[in-house]
Amino acid sequence: MNLGIKMFSSNVSKIIVTFAFFYSAIICYFKGEQLYNEGQILYAIVLWVCAFLSFIGALRFQVAKLIYFFRDKKW
């Protein structure tokens, strides 16, 4: 496979996965809000935790940069 096509494919797949994480976070958040309004607080909290984790997953590259920054920093 050509290196240019391989690099393009890798970048496109990263964008698609990031979009899927953001979409999942939005869906989980609003479904949790709906369940909270219906009085199912435990399910709402579980969905909000899932929404938070999906949002963090969407920002995985920025989180990795932050972790590497603090790991490499000499205190």
Side-chain angles (χ1 to χ4, degrees):
M1 184 185 316
N2 188 358
L3 183 61
I5 294 173
K6 189 175 183 180
M7 295 268 305
F8 175 76
S9 176
S10 174
N11 289 336
V12 170
S13 66
K14 287 179 184 178
I15 292 170
I16 291 171
V17 170
T18 301
F19 177 76
F21 273 123
F22 274 125
Y23 181 76
S24 174
I26 290 169
I27 295 298
C28 287
Y29 174 78
F30 285 116
K31 184 63 177 178
E33 186 176 344
Q34 178 186 7
L35 289 173
Y36 179 78
N37 291 333
E38 293 174 1
Q40 298 179 347
I41 296 176
L42 181 63
Y43 290 130
I45 291 172
V46 169
L47 281 175
W48 286 334
V49 169
C50 290
F52 176 73
L53 292 175
S54 291
F55 185 71
I56 295 298
L59 300 175
R60 63 195 180 279
F61 298 116
Q62 288 76 15
V63 170
K65 286 180 187 178
L66 188 65
I67 290 172
Y68 290 139
F69 173 76
F70 284 120
R71 187 184 69 177
D72 295 339
K73 187 162 179 84
K74 304 288 184 198
W75 295 97

